[in-house]
Amino acid sequence: MLKYVVNRLLSLIPVILVTSFMIYWAMSLTEGDPAMMIAGDGASQEMIEQIRHDLGLDQPFLLQYFNYMKGMLVGDMGKSYVTNKDVFATFFQYLPNTLYLGGSAVIIATIVSIPLGIYTAIHQNTWKDTAGMVFALFGTSMPNFWLGLMLIIIFALHLRLFPTGGNFGWKSLVLPAVTVGFGLAALITRITRSSMLDVMRQDYMTTARAKGCSEKRVIYKHGLKNALIPIITAIGLQMSLVITGSVLAETVFSWPGIGRLVYESITRRDIPMVTGSIILCSILMCIINLIVDLVYAFFDPRIKAQYSKKG
Amino acid sequence: MAAKKRIKGRTMFQETWHRLLKNKGAVIGMAFLALLVVVAVISPFVFDYETDVIGQNLAMKLQAPNSEHWFGTDEYGRDLFARVMYGARYSLAIGVGSVGFGLIVGTILGSIAGFYGGKADDIIMRGIDIFYSIPNILKAVVIVSLLGTSTINLIIALAISCATNYARIVRASVMTVRDLEYVESSYAMGLPTWKIILRHILPNCLSPIIVQTTLLIGTTIISASSLSFLGIGVPAPAPEWGALLSGGRAHIRGASYICVIPGLAIMFTVLALNLLGDGLRDALDPKLKK
Amino acid sequence: MDLVLDIKDLVVHYETEDSDVHAVNGIDIAIGKKRTLGLVGETGAGKTTTALSIMNLVPDPPGVIKNGSIMLDGKDVLKMSDAELEAMRGNDVAMIFQDPMTALNPVMTVGEQIAESLELHQNLKPEEALEKAKEMLKLVGIAESRAYDYPHQFSGGMKQRVVIAIALACSPRLLIADEPTTALDVTIQAQVLELMKDLINNRDMSMLMITHSLGIVAEICDDMAVMYAGRIVEKGTVDDVFNNMRHPYTEGLFNSLPNLKEQGEMLEPIKGLMPDPSDLPPGCAFAPRCPYATASCSEAVPELKAVDGSKTHFVACHAYSRPDFTLRRNKNEQ
């Protein structure tokens, strides 16, 4: 098993290299001449050349990229054009907040939607099912930044229950977490429902009943454990949705996470910050996907066996 | 052929259409979408772009909905109703455009990967996996930064995401069908490969593609509005719904209706698409429903 | 009462929005202690529905038990409460299903699945139950160490043995086997049948063997009942029916078997197809395909009547109201 994990981590490297190269290359094409921007108006040609040399911009592109990635390994991804602070350090300063937000959203969404999905599956074709499906439908139809705005209007402005933004304790986490989690919850509810419906049709459910298992036991012990496998896969696939949602929610609620960092860097044309953030985000995504795969293997013994054999 | 005429049967298309009509949700969805298309088409004739849509009239700014301005006015005094109606053009164009491009590119890639397997499959799938690992918005950020902020570039950026989506689906469908015996017999008959793919394999992938298309248009519209909201989508002063919400954000306390109405437009549009997509899924394969 | 199972006048329909399927149309089945009854019929005859009804496991919706009583050791299954049903299933009656590939839960070990039966009915602690489960594995010819393996690690035949182990774990009085060997290779079939024969002989158990193979019936059944379109058309001991069959359908079934002794003869299939259970013909359901049918056959459903005053052999056929009627097969052999 351990060997499998190591293998997977190693296979991430080519993915990360290709991804970061593409991003680095794309972003390097967007900026004007950074040396000129730093030197400012009226700087002499020599000064600009000097700055260019200092920044390593006179070297071949691949070498620049190589140095950049080397720098990442020691935590140096350049400095922000705007704040002149270290890109790498800034990213990791804001990352925990996004993890809190994303983590809370996922937890809330899962706690609400898996039971709801099971419930609607058991009561298929009744009004309870329809109600649940309507909720899921609306949830996947609304843009989450708009939901954020609506929540602010209702709960922060009119009802004054929560702050409109910023990070002032747990109350500030609620509205952003709901914003990110709502769409996720709607999606998970649908997936849970259809997974459970699939599982309930299986022969081994009849076997379990024929053994004398109570209906409850059949559904939760035999059904759910099998249904969880595709559900977890699906949740895993949505992790990038959580990051996307966080970018939007953090912007709406001024939540100090990497989402808002990316947004503000974009508007301020802070190329190093944008480049570094996106690359680090992608790496983060790869790691999250790996974790999800491992969780998935934990639940499905057929996959676990495959990996153990390899390892 | 004569036998076909005597038996009062239906083609698969008619069957599907018939089943679709039975689904109330799908019918509502289709009706709304039809209305939306009408609005998009006639907007340029009803509203004059220069005066109604982007013409500023600061004296009239930030009026709540009233009899003269059904949706009120925005922070520059522009009639919100005109802007929202006109905005439908952007959402539909971007939705259909991105998904359309993505469909063509994705289907080609997916067919190649699924049909030939081996190296081609590996390379294509690895490429797709790499794209998948970057969250959507960040992908768009990179592409728009590279190409500049404009509607066309937005469509390109979103089309790439759609293409990866389709590539996966088509590849899976093609792989399922490729090994079936009737494909082997087509080979044995001597049909050229591209004909086999086009005539025998792709028609069987139609169902998931059709369903995915309606749902994907919905997600694309949401993505487009999200990016416009962040300022990297459709450039101002275009009345794209997400951009409208972005403008309204500064006035959320005093004129919150600006933050509500365009969002409702997005939600109902995507809702209609989802209802239609679900209905299509049920109509195309009724066995799945039970 | 020496009967382990006594089904009377069972009627089961599947009611969907498109159609009303008459799966079982008034059948009587009785199985005595330590007797094995073979329920024979083609696919769609209603055999599995009958089997599921015995444990009240017919999926509802769309299945509806319209009529009848199923007496299990004197208690009517159809009137039992949920708690009584759960106590009965797996404990008094157990079932072996047709497809071993899908009958086992893929995410539970084999040992756990057997042990679950024991935990539910015999109040054993998980460790004790697992020990007993291992014994059951040994009984069906599987190494005890494999109790910790998952179903996907077993072959089809071995999976079926696991299913048998689960069924027999609590020593039920009645075992229902729904085509247990149909999905297996022929050689494995023989092995599994041997196993079942042994296990039954050593226990105080009755069995309902559902099959479409007359060979299996000959191998291990004491009694048999022939089912067609949801009705029993002939029943008796295996001796009765094999040597002295009466119903034209039964004759058709036996005629369909290739005869080693008379090689070169043409196979004689029964003409036509089994009727659509949502649209049964009036009167005798076999009449449209029956070589001996007359107009009166389609007027009323024939009742089961004793053959030559036998206490065990019954047939439901209008033809026998004519005193001189015999099947062609019986004529030839006379």
Side-chain angles (χ1 to χ4, degrees), chain A residues 144-198:
Chain A
N144 80 344
F145 65 92
W146 179 68
L147 175 66
L149 291 173
M150 300 295 283
L151 288 175
I152 290 180
I153 294 176
I154 299 174
F155 290 99
L157 294 178
H158 282 149
L159 295 179
R160 293 183 184 272
L161 283 174
F162 300 100
T164 57
N167 184 6
F168 310 109
W170 73 269
K171 269 198 178 173
S172 304
L173 186 57
V174 174
L175 292 184
V178 171
T179 305
V180 178
F182 195 78
L184 191 65
L187 209 74
I188 298 178
T189 305
R190 292 189 115 193
I191 294 169
T192 304
R193 176 180 181 273
S194 81
S195 184
M196 280 302 291
L197 285 176
D198 262 341

Side-chain angles (χ1 to χ4, degrees), chain A residues 246-260:
Chain A
S246 298
V247 172
L248 291 161
E250 288 176 15
T251 307
V252 170
F253 289 94
S254 302
W255 177 265
I258 53 178
R260 202 185 68 162

Side-chain angles (χ1 to χ4, degrees), chain A residues 237, chain B residues 106 110 125 128-129 132 163-173:
Chain A
L237 288 173
Chain B
M125 282 324 284
I128 289 178
D129 281 339
Y132 244 67
T164 55
N165 228 306
Y166 279 115
R168 280 199 163 180
I169 295 175
V170 171
R171 172 181 178 269
S173 287

Side-chain angles (χ1 to χ4, degrees), chain B residues 3-274:
Chain B
K4 259 195 181 161
K5 280 187 190 157
R6 260 186 277 134
I7 305 169
K8 194 175 172 253
R10 293 189 184 125
T11 65
M12 195 186 101
F13 177 74
Q14 288 168 319
E15 267 291 338
T16 310
W17 180 249
H18 186 79
R19 279 199 286 262
L20 190 65
L21 287 179
K22 278 200 208 161
N23 185 331
K24 279 179 276 188
V27 172
I28 296 176
M30 279 193 288
F32 184 85
L33 288 171
L35 183 63
L36 198 68
V37 171
V38 168
V39 166
V41 167
I42 67 172
S43 282
F45 302 106
V46 174
F47 305 106
D48 177 67
Y49 191 69
E50 292 303 322
T51 46
D52 299 326
V53 179
I54 62 173
Q56 299 184 8
N57 188 347
L58 291 171
M60 304 267 271
K61 74 173 186 181
L62 293 178
Q63 284 182 8
N66 54 42
S67 54
E68 207 190 303
H69 297 279
W70 293 344
F71 286 176
T73 60
D74 69 0
E75 68 276 18
Y76 291 116
R78 298 175 285 203
D79 178 29
L80 199 59
F81 182 76
R83 283 171 70 78
V84 170
M85 292 297 125
Y86 212 86
R89 297 167 61 79
Y90 289 89
S91 295
L92 284 178
I94 297 172
V96 173
S98 310
V99 171
F101 279 127
L103 175 61
I104 296 173
V105 174
T107 304
I108 296 175
L109 286 174
S111 309
I112 297 175
F115 193 76
Y116 290 107
K119 271 261 162 203
D121 184 21
D122 267 342
I123 296 175
I124 293 179
M125 282 324 284
R126 284 246 117 190
I128 289 178
D129 281 339
I130 289 175
F131 270 107
Y132 244 67
S133 74
I134 312 174
N136 237 356
I137 281 211
L138 303 183
K139 260 186 286 202
V141 166
V142 172
I143 294 172
V144 170
S145 300
L146 190 59
L147 300 172
T149 309
S150 80
T151 310
I152 299 288
N153 294 339
L154 182 63
I155 293 181
I156 295 175
L158 294 172
I160 296 181
S161 298
C162 292
T164 55
N165 228 306
Y166 279 115
R168 280 199 163 180
I169 295 175
V170 171
R171 172 181 178 269
S173 287
V174 168
M175 280 168 70
T176 317
V177 175
R178 166 188 71 178
D179 296 326
L180 291 181
E181 281 174 345
Y182 76 88
V183 173
E184 267 190 63
S185 47
S186 302
Y187 261 131
M189 282 202 298
L191 274 184
T193 308
W194 67 269
K195 259 197 185 169
I196 295 181
I197 295 183
L198 213 55
R199 223 192 277 168
H200 292 280
I201 297 186
L202 282 184
N204 284 280
C205 311
L206 262 182
S207 304
I209 290 179
I210 291 176
V211 175
Q212 184 71 351
T213 302
T214 42
L215 302 176
L216 206 54
I217 296 181
T219 7
T220 305
I221 291 180
I222 292 185
S223 298
S225 64
S226 306
L227 289 168
S228 302
F229 179 77
L230 292 177
I232 52 176
V234 178
E240 202 271 346
W241 292 334
L244 293 179
L245 288 168
S246 174
R249 199 174 146 221
H251 305 274
I252 193 169
R253 282 176 205 270
S256 47
Y257 60 90
I258 307 182
C259 292
V260 174
I261 297 172
L264 284 175
I266 303 175
M267 185 175 84
F268 283 126
T269 304
V270 178
L271 196 65
L273 284 162
N274 279 340

Side-chain angles (χ1 to χ4, degrees), chain A residues 202-215 217 221-223 225-226 229 299-305, chain C residues 52 55 57 86 89-91 93 95 97 99 102-108 113-114 116-117 119-121 150 152 166:
Chain A
Q202 298 298 320
D203 284 342
Y204 54 81
M205 300 290 274
T206 316
T207 308
R209 285 190 194 100
K211 269 196 258 187
C213 294
S214 68
E215 196 61 23
R217 194 189 172 105
K221 185 153 188 237
H222 289 263
K225 219 178 164 201
N226 277 282
I229 298 165
F299 275 94
D300 188 342
R302 291 166 287 195
I303 309 287
K304 207 190 231 165
Chain C
L52 289 174
M55 293 216 260
L57 272 181
E86 285 164 20
R89 292 175 188 148
N91 199 21
V93 188
M95 190 154 162
F97 296 88
D99 191 355
T102 54
L104 294 172
N105 190 331
V107 298
M108 280 171 73
Q113 297 193 49
I114 304 176
E116 188 179 27
S117 220
E119 281 174 46
L120 283 171
H121 300 293
Y150 289 91
H152 68 272
I166 295 176

